[in-house]
């Protein structure tokens, strides 16, 4: 009994409907006969699939070929059309298969492939009509009849499912909906729609129409059978069908209940198992939900991270943009630099080209020089000989110069260490207009004699080293002073001073006007000239100090600060016998202009008084000295104050005191000079 199962039509457990006896074998439920290759098993899905295809509740699908044994009443067959095939009469059967007729449209298709489980007439399934077609039968008897349709997928043998889907309508009633042969039995396998009950009217016409949904419809055979006339629908009987032999067995109510109980147990177990599966699936769903929640949280984190990354990406974009801008600027600068460098390189190339040409020219010159080297060597030898000769001459010159210097200074000493020159100025315009006349006789002036008329024919004569007449100029006076300049540079101390009565021309002789310089300027000019001539052999560092002796006080005329101006200076004698003034300003001079500036500064700082003898009379002695740092030699150039006869000048007060001091110091100077001239053992330098 395990192999038996209720036939279930229309989704409920019930007995098979009343069937014509010749097709009673088709009671086997299609849901139990799925093709193993299709891996189909009877299940709710398969049941739903067939239910959805079958539109007539009395019809059924049979997944096997037509068998002659199933046709118990061959006379009841009104038409059996073999689509796409010619008329066939089987000797072993009383059935006559008509050739393909009564169709409208479509084409014929045949196959030589074997049809699995094809029943007794496989050729029924090896030909078919397909395409856009319908069958229209005429001459059928009025009343009900059954229509059986035979199908097999012989075109799309590899499927897939759904490649051919179509509807079938009989007498415009849909009997198959979205019919898919391959989905039910696969390829090259028969599938019968059995027992569609239709009614034929008086016109005896029956129309079978095929409508394609996907692909073209197909049909292999159509069988029209006569239905029992006036037969009322029978009460459903309860059958059991053997799964192996497909024989139908009528069962009693008790047996049916027993089987139902067993079936109920079986289904309860199945329900239990489904409940367990459902619970398991629910758990799985819960776990999936939890993991989905976790995934969502993770997703949220990822989204936030993504937001951050997006923000960072935007920042990076901005940075990249700025960098790109910088790069563009750099590129622009680079282009500019490149242009300037290119220009510079071109310029350099031009220079190199010129230099190469110059180099070639020099190389040629060098070659010609090399060729003239022998001659050059001779010249070099000659030059070296001349240099040696020159060195020898320089040595001899130095020796001779030393001798000459010695002799020169000996001559100066022979002339006398103290020399006195007398210069007489011409009468001034004022003196001439006052009727003054000269009392000096210059007849023997060339011999150094000066006669002074003392009245009448009396004449008193004075002896000097040289007498300058009023006609002698500054140049003549300096001619005798200039040899002394050379002596200074040879290391001898020299002092030139002007002595005389007020207004006799001391300042004129020493300083002189700007257009007619005196001894000071000319001496120093010659000093720099000789120093320049000797610069190859000697270096002279020259400096100048300017001082004034006024009322027995020494004043530094180059001092600028009040403290140094008020500083009390004294003349000191060194152990070597020379004299100097500690603390006095020594201005370094490099040329005659410097000296002149210093002298001007010193002259401006002098204390000048006036008396009625000479308005511009100097009331002080002033001098400046040259210091030769190397030899420490000094040249004193002194413009003494004028000696005066006090009664004649009518001096009083300060002027009298000045005059007294001047005369006193001049008298002391006279004593010193006398002591020096007579080579006295005591020189009264510090006599008060
Ligand atoms: N040789 C000369 N030829 C022409 N003019 C002269 C000559 N010597 C002096 N004089 C003029 O005589 C005037 C007085 O000369 P200077 O001032 O030099 O006298 P001094 O002796 O320096 O007087 P003091 O002692 O009062 O300073 C000046 O006007 C000067 O120009």
């Amino acid at each position: 009994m395990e192999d038996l199962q209720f036939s279930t039509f229309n989704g409920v457990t019930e007995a098979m409907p009343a069937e014509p006896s010749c097709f009673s074998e088709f009671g086997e439920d299609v849901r139990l006969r799925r093709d193993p290759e299709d891996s189909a098993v009877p299940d709710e899905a398969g049941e739903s699939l067939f239910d959805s295809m079958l539109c007539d509740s009395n019809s059924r699908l049979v997944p096997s070929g037509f068998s002659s044994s199933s046709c118990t009443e061959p006379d009841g067959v009104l038409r059996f059309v073999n689509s796409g095939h010619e008329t066939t009469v089987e000797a072993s059967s009383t059935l006559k298969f008509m050739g393909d007729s009564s169709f409208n449209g479509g084409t014929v298709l045949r196959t030589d492939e074997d049809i699995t489980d094809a029943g007794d007439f496989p050729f029924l399934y090896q030909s078919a009509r397909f395409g856009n077609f319908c069958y229209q039968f005429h001459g059928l008897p009025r009343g009900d009849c059954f229509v059986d349709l035979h199908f097999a997928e012989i075109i799309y043998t590899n499927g897939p499912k759904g490649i051919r889907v179509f509807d079938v309508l009989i007498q415009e009633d849909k009997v198959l909906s979205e019919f898919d042969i391959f989905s039910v039995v696969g390829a090259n396998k028969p599938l019968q729609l059995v027992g569609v009950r239709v009614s034929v009217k008086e016109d005896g016409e029956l129309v079978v129409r095929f409508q394609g949904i996907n692909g073209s419809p197909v049909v292999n055979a159509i069988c029209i059978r006569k239905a029992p006339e006036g037969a009322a629908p029978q009460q459903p009987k309860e059958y059991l069908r053997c799964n192996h032999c497909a024989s139908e067995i009528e069962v009693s109510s008790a047996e049916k209940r027993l089987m139902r109980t067993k079936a109920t147990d079986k289904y309860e177990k199945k329900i239990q198992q489904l409940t367990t599966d459902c619970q398991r699936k629910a758990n799985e769903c819960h776990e999936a939900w939890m993991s989905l929640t976790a995934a969502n949280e993770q997703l949220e984190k990822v989204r936030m991270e993504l937001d951050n990354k997006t923000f960072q990406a935007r920042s990076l974009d901005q940075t990249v943009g700025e960098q790109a801008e910088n790069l563009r600027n750099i590129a622009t600068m680079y282009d500019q630099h490149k242009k300037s460098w290119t220009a510079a390189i071109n310029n350099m190339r031009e220079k190199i080209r010129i230099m190469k040409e110059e180099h070639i020219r020099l190389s040629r010159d060098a070659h010609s020089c090399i060729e003239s080297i022998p001659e050059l060597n001779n010249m070099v030898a000659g030059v070296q000989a001349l240099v040696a000769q020159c060195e020898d001459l320089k040595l001899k010159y130095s020796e001779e110069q030393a001798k000459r210097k010695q002799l020169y200074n000996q001559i100066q000493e022979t002339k006398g260490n103290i020399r006195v020159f007398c210069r007489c100025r011409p009468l001034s315009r004022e003196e001439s207009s006052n009727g003054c006349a000269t009392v000096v006789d210059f007849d023997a002036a060339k011999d150094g004699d000066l006669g002074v008329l003392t009245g009448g024919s009396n004449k008193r004569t004075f002896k000097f080293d040289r007498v300058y007449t009023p006609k002698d100029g500054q140049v003549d006076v300096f001619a005798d002073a200039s040899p002394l300049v050379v002596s200074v540079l040879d290391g001898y101390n020299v002092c030139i001073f002007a002595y005389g009565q007020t207004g006799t021309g001391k300042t004129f002789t020493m300083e002189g006007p700007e257009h007619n310089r005196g001894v000071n300027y000319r001496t120093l000019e010659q000093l720099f000239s000789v120093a320049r001539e000797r610069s190859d052999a000697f270096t002279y560092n020259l400096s100048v100090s300017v001082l004034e002796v006024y009322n027995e006080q020494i004043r530094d005329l180059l001092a600028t600060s009040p403290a140094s101006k008020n500083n009390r200076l004294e003349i000191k004698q060194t152990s070597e016998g020379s004299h100097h003034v500690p603390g006095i300003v020594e201005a370094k001079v490099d040329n005659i202009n410097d000296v002149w500036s210093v002298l001007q500064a010193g002259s401006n700082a002098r204390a000048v008084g006036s008396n009625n003898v000479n308005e511009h009379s100097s009331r002080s002695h002033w001098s400046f000295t040259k210091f030769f740092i190397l030899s420490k030699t000094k040249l004193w150039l002194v413009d003494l104050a004028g000696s005066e006869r006090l009664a004649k000048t009518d001096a009083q007060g300060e002027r009298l005191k000045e005059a007294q001091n001047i005369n006193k110091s001049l008298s002391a100077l006279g004593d010193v000079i006398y002591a020096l001239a007579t080579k006295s053992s005591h020189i009264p330098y510090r006599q008060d």
Side-chain angles (χ1 to χ4, degrees):
M1 294 297 287
E2 277 299 311
D3 292 330
L4 296 177
Q5 190 167 349
F6 289 105
S7 296
T8 54
F9 299 130
N10 301 324
V12 293
T13 304
E14 56 183 353
M16 284 185 64
E19 281 281 327
S21 57
C22 68
F23 287 95
S24 60
E25 146 177 273
F26 300 143
E28 183 185 15
D29 190 347
V30 70
R31 286 161 290 186
L32 303 177
R33 295 283 307 279
R34 298 294 300 274
D35 192 326
E37 287 182 19
D38 198 31
S39 303
V41 291
D43 55 13
E44 295 298 329
E47 186 178 343
S48 301
L49 175 65
F50 302 142
D51 288 347
S52 65
M53 289 179 183
L54 285 172
C55 300
D56 182 5
S57 59
N58 293 319
S59 63
R60 62 186 185 281
L61 288 170
V62 180
S64 59
F66 178 69
S67 170
S68 58
S69 61
S70 64
C71 186
T72 55
E73 294 177 4
D75 296 338
V77 176
L78 301 174
R79 306 275 171 87
F80 205 136
V81 176
N82 187 3
S83 301
H85 207 274
E86 61 277 7
T87 301
T88 308
V89 178
E90 284 293 310
S92 58
S93 172
T94 55
L95 283 172
K96 177 187 175 188
F97 301 103
M98 295 172 61
D100 199 3
S101 60
S102 303
F103 61 83
N104 185 13
T107 55
V108 172
L109 187 76
R110 294 197 175 110
T111 181
D112 294 330
E113 290 188 29
D114 291 336
I115 304 300
T116 307
D117 200 11
D120 296 335
F121 311 100
F123 58 86
L124 284 175
Y125 303 98
Q126 286 179 320
S127 64
R129 174 161 295 279
F130 89 108
N132 184 19
F133 64 94
C134 70
Y135 281 86
Q136 193 168 11
F137 299 98
H138 299 281
L140 293 173
R142 180 174 175 275
D144 288 351
C145 60
F146 289 111
V147 177
D148 305 327
L149 300 177
H150 298 262
F151 301 98
E153 181 55 68
I154 59 174
I155 302 172
Y156 299 118
T157 54
N158 291 322
K161 294 176 180 176
I163 194 166
R164 184 194 307 287
V165 180
F166 56 94
D167 294 340
V168 180
L169 297 89
I170 302 176
Q171 299 294 57
E172 296 306 321
D173 287 334
K174 191 181 281 186
V175 297
L176 280 174
S177 174
E178 297 183 13
F179 185 55
D180 183 356
I181 304 165
F182 190 86
S183 292
V184 180
V185 292
N188 292 332
K189 287 183 181 174
L191 179 61
Q192 301 177 52
L193 173 65
V194 176
V196 180
R197 192 180 184 105
V198 296
S199 177
V200 178
K201 297 196 173 140
E202 291 174 349
D203 56 3
E205 188 177 85
L206 188 140
V207 178
V208 182
R209 201 152 58 79
F210 300 84
Q211 287 181 341
I213 295 173
N214 188 29
S216 298
V218 66
V219 67
N220 295 73
I222 301 173
C223 177
I224 303 171
R225 294 180 282 120
K226 187 173 175 58
E229 200 160 327
Q234 293 180 357
Q235 288 300 318
K237 294 179 182 175
E238 292 183 356
Y239 293 91
L240 284 180
R241 186 175 298 125
C242 178
N243 283 336
H244 297 292
C245 64
S247 60
E248 292 175 346
I249 303 166
E250 190 173 349
V251 292
S252 66
S253 296
E255 287 172 329
K256 183 181 170 188
R257 275 198 299 277
L258 180 64
M259 283 187 286
R260 272 187 179 165
T261 305
K262 285 188 177 178
T264 303
D265 288 345
K266 184 178 176 184
Y267 281 114
E268 279 179 351
K269 282 180 186 171
K270 195 170 181 180
I271 287 167
Q272 205 170 6
Q273 188 184 351
L274 284 172
T275 305
T276 307
D277 288 347
C278 183
Q279 185 61 41
R280 185 170 50 79
K281 292 287 181 192
N283 291 340
E284 285 176 6
C285 279
H286 179 70
E287 286 174 10
W289 172 258
M290 294 303 288
S291 90
L292 184 68
T293 305
N296 277 338
E297 288 174 359
Q298 190 68 23
L299 195 66
E300 183 63 20
K301 282 183 188 170
V302 169
R303 193 185 61 74
M304 287 175 71
E305 207 169 313
L306 188 67
D307 285 347
N308 287 337
K309 294 287 179 193
T310 306
F311 178 73
Q312 287 176 3
R314 280 189 190 142
S315 302
L316 275 173
D317 279 351
Q318 196 174 351
T319 309
V320 167
E322 289 169 0
Q323 295 287 347
E325 184 60 29
N326 287 343
L327 277 174
R328 273 194 289 280
N329 292 340
I330 288 168
T332 308
M333 272 174 55
Y334 170 75
D335 285 342
Q336 289 170 354
H337 287 174
K338 190 178 166 189
K339 280 179 190 167
S340 62
W341 277 111
T342 305
I345 286 167
N346 290 336
N347 189 24
M348 194 64 77
R349 277 197 187 123
E350 183 58 22
K351 282 182 181 169
I352 288 169
R353 190 186 63 73
I354 293 168
M355 284 172 74
K356 276 182 180 171
E357 289 176 5
E358 184 73 9
H359 174 71
I360 292 167
R361 193 178 60 73
L362 286 172
S363 292
R364 278 200 217 102
D365 291 352
H367 279 301
S368 55
C369 282
I370 287 167
E371 286 165 4
S372 61
I373 275 180
E375 191 182 338
L376 199 66
N377 285 339
N378 292 337
M379 286 172 68
V380 168
V383 168
Q384 283 174 342
L386 284 172
V387 167
Q389 198 176 346
C390 185
E391 288 297 320
D392 187 44
L393 285 172
K394 270 171 77 177
L395 194 64
K396 286 177 181 169
Y397 170 75
S398 298
E399 290 170 2
E400 289 302 319
Q401 198 177 33
K403 283 180 191 170
R404 187 200 64 77
K405 193 190 292 182
Q406 193 180 1
L407 289 170
Y408 174 85
N409 287 301
Q410 279 176 359
I411 291 168
Q412 295 303 321
E413 284 177 18
T414 307
K415 284 183 178 177
N417 276 340
I418 300 174
R419 271 170 267 167
V420 183
F421 304 98
C422 177
R423 185 181 192 185
C424 295
R425 69 165 172 81
L427 288 175
S428 67
R429 196 174 295 166
E430 188 183 0
E431 287 169 336
S432 298
S433 62
N434 287 341
C436 295
T438 181
V439 292
V440 183
D441 176 19
F442 298 102
D443 291 343
K446 287 182 182 173
D447 299 327
D449 291 338
L450 181 72
V452 177
L453 300 175
T454 54
S457 57
N458 293 336
K459 185 171 76 175
R460 192 173 170 188
T461 303
F462 296 88
K463 185 73 176 171
F464 295 93
D465 288 294
R466 171 86 188 259
V467 173
Y468 303 108
T469 68
K471 292 177 183 174
D472 292 324
Q474 303 284 50
V475 176
D476 301 316
V477 174
F478 181 67
D480 288 307
S482 71
L484 298 174
V485 175
V486 180
S487 291
V488 170
L489 294 177
D490 287 341
Y492 290 85
N493 290 324
V494 173
C495 177
I496 301 172
F497 62 80
Y499 171 85
Q501 216 173 322
T502 296
T504 52
K506 298 183 292 297
T507 303
F508 184 89
T509 299
M510 294 305 289
E511 195 172 332
E514 195 171 346
H515 62 277
N516 192 15
R517 296 294 187 197
V519 172
N520 288 352
Y521 185 86
R522 292 171 191 272
T523 300
L524 292 165
E525 195 176 41
Q526 188 173 0
L527 206 60
F528 279 107
S529 173
V530 175
R532 257 196 317 276
E533 286 171 12
R534 295 184 179 183
S535 61
D536 287 347
F538 301 98
T539 300
Y540 296 101
N541 293 316
L542 308 178
S543 57
V544 173
S545 298
V546 183
L547 62 86
E548 176 187 56
V549 180
Y550 175 69
N551 277 349
E552 303 293 305
Q553 297 284 321
I554 298 174
R555 291 178 63 215
D556 185 351
L557 298 183
L558 298 184
T560 50
S561 66
S564 55
K565 276 182 181 174
N566 296 329
N567 200 10
R568 194 179 178 84
L569 299 172
E570 289 182 4
I571 297 177
K572 299 279 185 187
Q573 187 175 11
T574 64
S575 55
E576 292 91 31
S578 64
H579 293 82
H580 70 112
V581 182
I584 196 165
V585 173
E586 296 176 358
K588 191 173 181 312
V589 289
D590 291 324
N591 51 52
I592 191 65
N593 291 331
D594 291 350
V595 175
W596 191 247
S597 299
V598 171
L599 289 180
Q600 282 297 113
S603 179
N604 293 337
R606 282 185 70 185
V608 178
S610 78
N611 54 43
N612 56 4
V613 175
N614 179 359
E615 193 180 349
H616 302 288
S617 174
S618 300
R619 311 311 299 150
S620 64
H621 316 292
W622 77 297
S623 70
F624 60 95
T625 71
K626 302 298 294 182
F627 285 90
F628 301 94
I629 300 303
L630 288 178
S631 59
K632 304 284 186 188
T633 339
K634 293 185 186 68
L635 165 62
W636 292 82
L637 298 169
V638 186
D639 181 8
L640 289 169
S643 60
E644 297 166 21
R645 286 165 64 184
L646 299 180
K648 188 179 177 184
T649 56
D650 296 331
Q652 292 180 347
E654 276 298 307
R655 291 284 171 267
L656 179 62
K657 190 183 168 190
E658 281 176 8
Q660 286 172 340
N661 282 327
I662 291 168
N663 287 342
K664 187 180 169 189
S665 60
L666 291 174
S667 171
L669 177 64
D671 292 342
V672 169
I673 291 172
Y674 180 77
L676 289 170
T678 56
K679 299 193 185 310
S680 170
S681 58
H682 173 68
I683 311 299
Y685 289 120
R686 305 192 62 79
Q687 187 176 1
D688 290 328

